[in-house]
Amino acid sequence: MNPTKKLLRIAVSTVLAVSMTLPNAFAMYQAKVKADALYLREAPEGDIIATLPQGTMLAVLSNSDSWFKVVADGKEGYVSGEYLTGTLTTDFPLGEGRIVCDTTVNLRSEPNTSCKVLSSLRNGTALNVIGVSSGWYKVSYNGVTGYIHPDYLSFAAAQTQKDANVSPDADAIAYAGTSEARSSVLTYAAQFLGTPYVYGGSTPSGFDCSGFTSYVFNNTVGSIPRVAQSQYNATTHLTREELLPGDLVFFGSSASSISHVGIYVGDGQFIHSPHTGSVVKYESLSGSYETRFQGGGRVIFE
């Protein structure tokens, strides 16, 4: 055999082998979140759209550099790619999408252009997106399951979570080394980022400080009192140095005058519903919070 032809055949074989083992950067594929929680942003280093819990399935539209453009829970945005891992699962809910085209686009029986056409869909048609296959969206429309190329499907814009205290490089919440119970509290709490403060509120439509902490604990590891002072009185007290992620943090003028409470997340940060005009957010246990800190409260014991 001609040596040049032999080298060319080896080179082509190598390229084919790589293409079968790595996702094509220009083809959509599926992945899932491997951090305890991952921020979905409207742009690289942009405002937060949503917080995606560990295990959330998503479609990766492109993976240029460290920022991946993805679709998850009916929202399109960007995440840090280092917190994603590949998966073989192809059927998973992605929310509602809408057809975007000049006139109509074909709903196909398989994820390719040479298969049977099931229907022709007009611009603006709403579809339930139920998976990803071979670079196409798997969808359900009027009881029919088929496939749409991602070029012709878009997802509604989402409001961003106004959480000014999350820095652009804080892309994920890592609860490494924490117990399952503590992680469940932190992950559950994170889904309410951006929820408005409402005095007396204790539901996802609006929380005050203790309404937030009691709602999170009551729906994860167990019931705690509703009011901040009662929560302090009912928990095992801790110094700042003893705090672990998932412990409560209390603030006030004294231990007998607790006026605020949040949930410690680690690294000197806590999540809370601060005051009227604000939203559930992460903040640093520093400044006025450090001055007013009266101690931690433990509910979870390992």
Side-chain angles (χ1 to χ4, degrees), residues 26-28 61 76 98 100 133-137 147-155:
F26 301 102
M28 179 175 64
L61 305 182
E76 186 175 294
R98 290 187 178 274
V100 178
S133 181
S134 301
W136 290 53
Y137 285 120
Y147 298 85
I148 293 288
H149 194 276
D151 287 350
Y152 303 103
L153 198 62
S154 70
F155 292 81

PDB file of all heavy atoms in Angstrom, residues 26-28 61 76 98 100 133-137 147-155:
ATOM      1  N   PHE A  26     -21.538  21.283  17.716  1.00  0.00           N
ATOM      2  CA  PHE A  26     -22.562  22.002  16.976  1.00  0.00           C
ATOM      3  C   PHE A  26     -23.875  21.239  16.931  1.00  0.00           C
ATOM      4  O   PHE A  26     -24.800  21.638  16.249  1.00  0.00           O
ATOM      5  CB  PHE A  26     -22.065  22.292  15.552  1.00  0.00           C
ATOM      6  CG  PHE A  26     -20.799  23.096  15.535  1.00  0.00           C
ATOM      7  CD1 PHE A  26     -19.581  22.493  15.298  1.00  0.00           C
ATOM      8  CD2 PHE A  26     -20.825  24.461  15.787  1.00  0.00           C
ATOM      9  CE1 PHE A  26     -18.409  23.229  15.304  1.00  0.00           C
ATOM     10  CE2 PHE A  26     -19.652  25.200  15.793  1.00  0.00           C
ATOM     11  CZ  PHE A  26     -18.439  24.593  15.549  1.00  0.00           C
ATOM     12  N   ALA A  27     -23.967  20.102  17.623  1.00  0.00           N
ATOM     13  CA  ALA A  27     -25.190  19.307  17.655  1.00  0.00           C
ATOM     14  C   ALA A  27     -25.720  19.255  19.079  1.00  0.00           C
ATOM     15  O   ALA A  27     -24.964  19.112  20.029  1.00  0.00           O
ATOM     16  CB  ALA A  27     -24.906  17.900  17.145  1.00  0.00           C
ATOM     17  N   MET A  28     -27.037  19.359  19.206  1.00  0.00           N
ATOM     18  CA  MET A  28     -27.650  19.314  20.527  1.00  0.00           C
ATOM     19  C   MET A  28     -27.502  17.914  21.132  1.00  0.00           C
ATOM     20  O   MET A  28     -27.597  16.904  20.433  1.00  0.00           O
ATOM     21  CB  MET A  28     -29.120  19.674  20.410  1.00  0.00           C
ATOM     22  CG  MET A  28     -29.878  19.625  21.731  1.00  0.00           C
ATOM     23  SD  MET A  28     -31.573  20.186  21.548  1.00  0.00           S
ATOM     24  CE  MET A  28     -32.233  18.935  20.453  1.00  0.00           C
ATOM     25  N   LEU A  61     -27.348  23.069  23.796  1.00  0.00           N
ATOM     26  CA  LEU A  61     -27.464  23.568  22.431  1.00  0.00           C
ATOM     27  C   LEU A  61     -26.114  23.877  21.819  1.00  0.00           C
ATOM     28  O   LEU A  61     -25.917  23.721  20.618  1.00  0.00           O
ATOM     29  CB  LEU A  61     -28.351  24.816  22.412  1.00  0.00           C
ATOM     30  CG  LEU A  61     -29.745  24.664  23.029  1.00  0.00           C
ATOM     31  CD1 LEU A  61     -30.519  25.965  22.906  1.00  0.00           C
ATOM     32  CD2 LEU A  61     -30.504  23.535  22.350  1.00  0.00           C
ATOM     33  N   GLU A  76     -34.427  28.814  28.375  1.00  0.00           N
ATOM     34  CA  GLU A  76     -33.166  28.758  27.644  1.00  0.00           C
ATOM     35  C   GLU A  76     -32.183  29.721  28.274  1.00  0.00           C
ATOM     36  O   GLU A  76     -32.532  30.862  28.592  1.00  0.00           O
ATOM     37  CB  GLU A  76     -33.405  29.136  26.182  1.00  0.00           C
ATOM     38  CG  GLU A  76     -32.199  28.967  25.290  1.00  0.00           C
ATOM     39  CD  GLU A  76     -32.519  29.234  23.835  1.00  0.00           C
ATOM     40  OE1 GLU A  76     -33.303  28.455  23.252  1.00  0.00           O
ATOM     41  OE2 GLU A  76     -32.002  30.234  23.291  1.00  0.00           O
ATOM     42  N   ARG A  98     -42.140  26.585  21.343  1.00  0.00           N
ATOM     43  CA  ARG A  98     -42.992  27.086  20.250  1.00  0.00           C
ATOM     44  C   ARG A  98     -42.239  27.057  18.927  1.00  0.00           C
ATOM     45  O   ARG A  98     -41.050  27.337  18.869  1.00  0.00           O
ATOM     46  CB  ARG A  98     -43.489  28.495  20.547  1.00  0.00           C
ATOM     47  CG  ARG A  98     -44.511  28.547  21.682  1.00  0.00           C
ATOM     48  CD  ARG A  98     -45.123  29.920  21.873  1.00  0.00           C
ATOM     49  NE  ARG A  98     -46.119  29.893  22.923  1.00  0.00           N
ATOM     50  CZ  ARG A  98     -47.400  29.574  22.742  1.00  0.00           C
ATOM     51  NH1 ARG A  98     -47.840  29.297  21.518  1.00  0.00           N
ATOM     52  NH2 ARG A  98     -48.245  29.553  23.751  1.00  0.00           N
ATOM     53  N   VAL A 100     -40.834  28.213  15.524  1.00  0.00           N
ATOM     54  CA  VAL A 100     -40.370  29.481  14.962  1.00  0.00           C
ATOM     55  C   VAL A 100     -39.943  29.219  13.522  1.00  0.00           C
ATOM     56  O   VAL A 100     -38.940  28.533  13.267  1.00  0.00           O
ATOM     57  CB  VAL A 100     -39.174  30.048  15.761  1.00  0.00           C
ATOM     58  CG1 VAL A 100     -38.687  31.341  15.121  1.00  0.00           C
ATOM     59  CG2 VAL A 100     -39.562  30.297  17.206  1.00  0.00           C
ATOM     60  N   SER A 133     -33.132  13.498  20.979  1.00  0.00           N
ATOM     61  CA  SER A 133     -32.667  12.305  20.280  1.00  0.00           C
ATOM     62  C   SER A 133     -31.915  12.688  19.019  1.00  0.00           C
ATOM     63  O   SER A 133     -32.460  13.392  18.152  1.00  0.00           O
ATOM     64  CB  SER A 133     -33.853  11.403  19.918  1.00  0.00           C
ATOM     65  OG  SER A 133     -33.421  10.234  19.250  1.00  0.00           O
ATOM     66  N   SER A 134     -30.671  12.272  18.929  1.00  0.00           N
ATOM     67  CA  SER A 134     -29.850  12.490  17.726  1.00  0.00           C
ATOM     68  C   SER A 134     -29.831  13.939  17.275  1.00  0.00           C
ATOM     69  O   SER A 134     -29.863  14.232  16.083  1.00  0.00           O
ATOM     70  CB  SER A 134     -30.353  11.591  16.586  1.00  0.00           C
ATOM     71  OG  SER A 134     -30.304  10.233  16.943  1.00  0.00           O
ATOM     72  N   GLY A 135     -29.783  14.842  18.237  1.00  0.00           N
ATOM     73  CA  GLY A 135     -29.693  16.257  17.900  1.00  0.00           C
ATOM     74  C   GLY A 135     -31.015  16.922  17.578  1.00  0.00           C
ATOM     75  O   GLY A 135     -31.043  18.078  17.129  1.00  0.00           O
ATOM     76  N   TRP A 136     -32.139  16.228  17.788  1.00  0.00           N
ATOM     77  CA  TRP A 136     -33.479  16.777  17.554  1.00  0.00           C
ATOM     78  C   TRP A 136     -34.255  16.768  18.873  1.00  0.00           C
ATOM     79  O   TRP A 136     -33.978  15.983  19.774  1.00  0.00           O
ATOM     80  CB  TRP A 136     -34.246  15.939  16.538  1.00  0.00           C
ATOM     81  CG  TRP A 136     -33.734  16.030  15.131  1.00  0.00           C
ATOM     82  CD1 TRP A 136     -32.458  15.831  14.697  1.00  0.00           C
ATOM     83  CD2 TRP A 136     -34.514  16.297  13.957  1.00  0.00           C
ATOM     84  NE1 TRP A 136     -32.375  15.970  13.348  1.00  0.00           N
ATOM     85  CE2 TRP A 136     -33.624  16.254  12.852  1.00  0.00           C
ATOM     86  CE3 TRP A 136     -35.859  16.563  13.723  1.00  0.00           C
ATOM     87  CZ2 TRP A 136     -34.052  16.476  11.544  1.00  0.00           C
ATOM     88  CZ3 TRP A 136     -36.291  16.778  12.414  1.00  0.00           C
ATOM     89  CH2 TRP A 136     -35.396  16.744  11.341  1.00  0.00           C
ATOM     90  N   TYR A 137     -35.272  17.647  18.954  1.00  0.00           N
ATOM     91  CA  TYR A 137     -36.203  17.620  20.078  1.00  0.00           C
ATOM     92  C   TYR A 137     -37.266  16.562  19.829  1.00  0.00           C
ATOM     93  O   TYR A 137     -37.842  16.469  18.727  1.00  0.00           O
ATOM     94  CB  TYR A 137     -36.903  18.967  20.253  1.00  0.00           C
ATOM     95  CG  TYR A 137     -36.063  20.057  20.856  1.00  0.00           C
ATOM     96  CD1 TYR A 137     -35.829  21.241  20.146  1.00  0.00           C
ATOM     97  CD2 TYR A 137     -35.518  19.931  22.125  1.00  0.00           C
ATOM     98  CE1 TYR A 137     -35.068  22.261  20.703  1.00  0.00           C
ATOM     99  CE2 TYR A 137     -34.758  20.937  22.684  1.00  0.00           C
ATOM    100  CZ  TYR A 137     -34.534  22.096  21.962  1.00  0.00           C
ATOM    101  OH  TYR A 137     -33.781  23.104  22.512  1.00  0.00           O
ATOM    102  N   TYR A 147     -40.662  14.505  16.068  1.00  0.00           N
ATOM    103  CA  TYR A 147     -39.374  15.166  16.247  1.00  0.00           C
ATOM    104  C   TYR A 147     -39.318  16.475  15.459  1.00  0.00           C
ATOM    105  O   TYR A 147     -39.802  16.554  14.323  1.00  0.00           O
ATOM    106  CB  TYR A 147     -38.241  14.234  15.811  1.00  0.00           C
ATOM    107  CG  TYR A 147     -38.177  12.974  16.633  1.00  0.00           C
ATOM    108  CD1 TYR A 147     -38.969  11.872  16.312  1.00  0.00           C
ATOM    109  CD2 TYR A 147     -37.357  12.897  17.761  1.00  0.00           C
ATOM    110  CE1 TYR A 147     -38.943  10.723  17.081  1.00  0.00           C
ATOM    111  CE2 TYR A 147     -37.326  11.746  18.539  1.00  0.00           C
ATOM    112  CZ  TYR A 147     -38.113  10.671  18.192  1.00  0.00           C
ATOM    113  OH  TYR A 147     -38.087   9.537  18.967  1.00  0.00           O
ATOM    114  N   ILE A 148     -38.702  17.494  16.097  1.00  0.00           N
ATOM    115  CA  ILE A 148     -38.523  18.806  15.487  1.00  0.00           C
ATOM    116  C   ILE A 148     -37.051  19.187  15.605  1.00  0.00           C
ATOM    117  O   ILE A 148     -36.447  19.036  16.676  1.00  0.00           O
ATOM    118  CB  ILE A 148     -39.383  19.882  16.190  1.00  0.00           C
ATOM    119  CG1 ILE A 148     -40.874  19.611  15.951  1.00  0.00           C
ATOM    120  CG2 ILE A 148     -39.012  21.286  15.724  1.00  0.00           C
ATOM    121  CD1 ILE A 148     -41.345  19.894  14.539  1.00  0.00           C
ATOM    122  N   HIS A 149     -36.491  19.699  14.529  1.00  0.00           N
ATOM    123  CA  HIS A 149     -35.103  20.152  14.586  1.00  0.00           C
ATOM    124  C   HIS A 149     -35.017  21.392  15.479  1.00  0.00           C
ATOM    125  O   HIS A 149     -35.911  22.252  15.441  1.00  0.00           O
ATOM    126  CB  HIS A 149     -34.592  20.482  13.181  1.00  0.00           C
ATOM    127  CG  HIS A 149     -33.107  20.641  13.118  1.00  0.00           C
ATOM    128  ND1 HIS A 149     -32.483  21.838  13.434  1.00  0.00           N
ATOM    129  CD2 HIS A 149     -32.129  19.755  12.810  1.00  0.00           C
ATOM    130  CE1 HIS A 149     -31.176  21.687  13.306  1.00  0.00           C
ATOM    131  NE2 HIS A 149     -30.926  20.429  12.935  1.00  0.00           N
ATOM    132  N   PRO A 150     -33.969  21.521  16.307  1.00  0.00           N
ATOM    133  CA  PRO A 150     -33.871  22.659  17.243  1.00  0.00           C
ATOM    134  C   PRO A 150     -33.840  24.030  16.579  1.00  0.00           C
ATOM    135  O   PRO A 150     -34.127  25.026  17.237  1.00  0.00           O
ATOM    136  CB  PRO A 150     -32.564  22.377  18.009  1.00  0.00           C
ATOM    137  CG  PRO A 150     -31.832  21.374  17.204  1.00  0.00           C
ATOM    138  CD  PRO A 150     -32.856  20.565  16.496  1.00  0.00           C
ATOM    139  N   ASP A 151     -33.512  24.096  15.291  1.00  0.00           N
ATOM    140  CA  ASP A 151     -33.522  25.385  14.593  1.00  0.00           C
ATOM    141  C   ASP A 151     -34.914  25.989  14.528  1.00  0.00           C
ATOM    142  O   ASP A 151     -35.061  27.200  14.307  1.00  0.00           O
ATOM    143  CB  ASP A 151     -32.978  25.233  13.171  1.00  0.00           C
ATOM    144  CG  ASP A 151     -31.480  25.014  13.130  1.00  0.00           C
ATOM    145  OD1 ASP A 151     -30.834  25.175  14.197  1.00  0.00           O
ATOM    146  OD2 ASP A 151     -30.962  24.661  12.058  1.00  0.00           O
ATOM    147  N   TYR A 152     -35.956  25.152  14.711  1.00  0.00           N
ATOM    148  CA  TYR A 152     -37.326  25.619  14.540  1.00  0.00           C
ATOM    149  C   TYR A 152     -38.134  25.586  15.830  1.00  0.00           C
ATOM    150  O   TYR A 152     -39.361  25.599  15.795  1.00  0.00           O
ATOM    151  CB  TYR A 152     -38.027  24.768  13.467  1.00  0.00           C
ATOM    152  CG  TYR A 152     -37.307  24.782  12.151  1.00  0.00           C
ATOM    153  CD1 TYR A 152     -36.527  23.695  11.749  1.00  0.00           C
ATOM    154  CD2 TYR A 152     -37.375  25.901  11.315  1.00  0.00           C
ATOM    155  CE1 TYR A 152     -35.844  23.720  10.538  1.00  0.00           C
ATOM    156  CE2 TYR A 152     -36.700  25.931  10.105  1.00  0.00           C
ATOM    157  CZ  TYR A 152     -35.930  24.841   9.724  1.00  0.00           C
ATOM    158  OH  TYR A 152     -35.249  24.876   8.531  1.00  0.00           O
ATOM    159  N   LEU A 153     -37.460  25.544  16.973  1.00  0.00           N
ATOM    160  CA  LEU A 153     -38.166  25.513  18.250  1.00  0.00           C
ATOM    161  C   LEU A 153     -37.486  26.454  19.227  1.00  0.00           C
ATOM    162  O   LEU A 153     -36.264  26.471  19.346  1.00  0.00           O
ATOM    163  CB  LEU A 153     -38.151  24.089  18.811  1.00  0.00           C
ATOM    164  CG  LEU A 153     -39.174  23.739  19.899  1.00  0.00           C
ATOM    165  CD1 LEU A 153     -40.592  23.893  19.363  1.00  0.00           C
ATOM    166  CD2 LEU A 153     -38.958  22.317  20.388  1.00  0.00           C
ATOM    167  N   SER A 154     -38.294  27.268  19.900  1.00  0.00           N
ATOM    168  CA  SER A 154     -37.740  28.191  20.891  1.00  0.00           C
ATOM    169  C   SER A 154     -38.528  28.085  22.182  1.00  0.00           C
ATOM    170  O   SER A 154     -39.639  27.539  22.216  1.00  0.00           O
ATOM    171  CB  SER A 154     -37.770  29.637  20.376  1.00  0.00           C
ATOM    172  OG  SER A 154     -39.104  30.108  20.313  1.00  0.00           O
ATOM    173  N   PHE A 155     -37.942  28.623  23.242  1.00  0.00           N
ATOM    174  CA  PHE A 155     -38.577  28.593  24.554  1.00  0.00           C
ATOM    175  C   PHE A 155     -38.801  30.009  25.037  1.00  0.00           C
ATOM    176  O   PHE A 155     -38.018  30.918  24.732  1.00  0.00           O
ATOM    177  CB  PHE A 155     -37.710  27.806  25.536  1.00  0.00           C
ATOM    178  CG  PHE A 155     -37.647  26.346  25.225  1.00  0.00           C
ATOM    179  CD1 PHE A 155     -36.785  25.872  24.236  1.00  0.00           C
ATOM    180  CD2 PHE A 155     -38.453  25.441  25.882  1.00  0.00           C
ATOM    181  CE1 PHE A 155     -36.725  24.526  23.929  1.00  0.00           C
ATOM    182  CE2 PHE A 155     -38.402  24.088  25.571  1.00  0.00           C
ATOM    183  CZ  PHE A 155     -37.543  23.628  24.592  1.00  0.00           C
TER     184      PHE A 155
END
